[in-house]
Amino acid sequence: MESPGPAAVATPSPVEGDESSHISVVVRCRPLSEAEIGNGTQDILRVMDRRLVILMDPGSAASNDYLRLDKSREKRYAFDVALGPEVGTQEVFEATTKPLVNAVMQAYNATAFAYGPTGAGKTFTMIGTPQVPGVMLRTVEELFKRAAEVPADGVRAAASVRCSFIEVYNENLLDLLSPDGHELDIREDPYKGVCIANVSETEAESSAEVMELLRRGNQRRTTEPTAMNVTSSRSHAVLQVTVERREANSQDVM
């Protein structure tokens, strides 16, 4: 059976034109792996109308399971957006974090996170590879693109992009951009509010620099082989991007 996932959840901006909601749930369904195909695993997942995920009846009820005999076991699940195995990462980006960029450039906070079982494709979707960049890099590319645009009023603004990359493992926070990967503490700041103290922040001037930060940080993540993935990430990773814009001859920062 092909499992749906991972699902990316984004806030606060709406997805695909739904302006009534500030939280959207998007599911990306992965194809069967080579091992699953070799084992004769049956693909029973279907996606309809970019919103509905259908798990077909496998048609193999036990002979003594009288309660389920002659009854369909088909399951249906509705999401804000449902994407099938044929959909590429660019389409995932356009359905999830691209709509958030406008909000970020207007000084709103936005969050996207991926969840799903081991082997669902979370790391591939979010970080990707040099050949197929993930949602994180595509989002940063869009941020750089928007920051370089001249607004309608013609007033240019200088923009800076800073990144931090954190691992959450066994209830500990580790700095993935620090050479020693030191532990971090959550503190309450009178100006920033709740924040992570002494986390490394690196200013980036291009998406290529961010990709290098992700590659370097991802190598420091805690991994452990599982039946589904020999290099499974055994932790949560958080990429935090801070964008500051300052108009010329102004001290105000947005």
Side-chain angles (χ1 to χ4, degrees):
M1 170 180 157
E2 179 185 359
S3 61
V9 182
T11 177
S13 181
V15 169
E16 298 213 339
D18 181 9
E19 298 183 359
S20 63
S21 175
H22 291 288
I23 298 177
S24 295
V25 180
V26 180
V27 63
R28 183 188 197 184
C29 304
R30 68 165 177 81
L32 294 179
S33 66
E34 293 183 2
E36 290 167 334
I37 295 174
N39 292 333
T41 302
Q42 183 182 1
D43 179 3
I44 62 170
L45 186 146
R46 302 292 182 271
V47 175
M48 292 184 60
D49 302 326
R50 286 177 64 90
R51 287 188 178 272
L52 194 65
V53 174
I54 302 174
L55 299 182
M56 309 295 288
D57 188 341
S60 57
S63 58
N64 61 349
D65 191 357
Y66 301 108
L67 294 177
R68 291 183 174 84
L69 288 176
D70 301 322
K71 292 183 179 180
S72 174
R73 291 188 291 166
E74 178 181 295
K75 303 292 183 182
R76 298 190 173 208
Y77 304 92
F79 300 91
D80 292 292
V81 181
L83 304 172
E86 75 286 352
V87 173
T89 304
Q90 176 65 23
E91 292 179 72
V92 178
F93 158 67
E94 292 174 355
T96 54
T97 59
K98 187 175 182 179
L100 301 179
V101 174
N102 285 336
V104 170
M105 300 307 292
Q106 296 175 35
Y108 288 96
N109 292 326
T111 302
F113 65 91
Y115 64 94
T118 298
K122 300 182 294 297
T123 301
F124 176 79
T125 295
M126 298 303 287
I127 297 180
T129 65
Q131 296 75 28
V132 185
V135 169
M136 286 180 176
L137 185 65
R138 294 171 195 264
T139 305
V140 172
E141 284 181 337
E142 187 68 16
L143 282 171
F144 278 114
K145 177 182 175 182
R146 291 296 309 280
E149 292 177 353
V150 179
D153 58 12
V155 179
R156 288 184 174 273
S160 65
V161 177
R162 301 193 309 275
C163 301
S164 61
F165 201 22
I166 303 160
E167 178 182 65
V168 184
Y169 181 63
N170 285 343
E171 301 184 6
N172 293 317
L173 301 180
L174 302 177
D175 192 338
L176 292 176
L177 296 185
S178 172
D180 60 359
H182 61 267
E183 292 190 9
L184 300 166
D185 295 316
I186 297 178
R187 303 283 175 82
E188 189 167 356
D189 185 273
Y191 300 102
K192 299 179 181 179
V194 178
C195 63
I196 300 174
N198 300 318
V199 64
S200 300
E201 279 194 314
T202 301
E203 186 165 344
E205 297 183 356
S206 68
S207 57
E209 290 185 15
V210 177
M211 184 65 184
E212 175 60 22
L213 291 176
L214 289 175
R215 185 198 65 79
R216 195 169 70 226
N218 208 43
Q219 288 181 335
R220 298 190 176 115
R221 290 185 64 187
T222 304
T223 61
E224 182 179 327
T226 67
M228 289 294 295
N229 187 353
V230 295
T231 58
S232 177
S233 301
R234 308 310 297 160
S235 64
H236 303 286
V238 180
L239 173 69
Q240 185 169 356
V241 180
T242 303
V243 182
E244 288 187 356
R245 298 185 69 192
R246 187 193 303 271
E247 293 184 359
N249 303 321
S250 173
Q251 297 300 315
D252 295 331
V253 177
M254 183 173 71

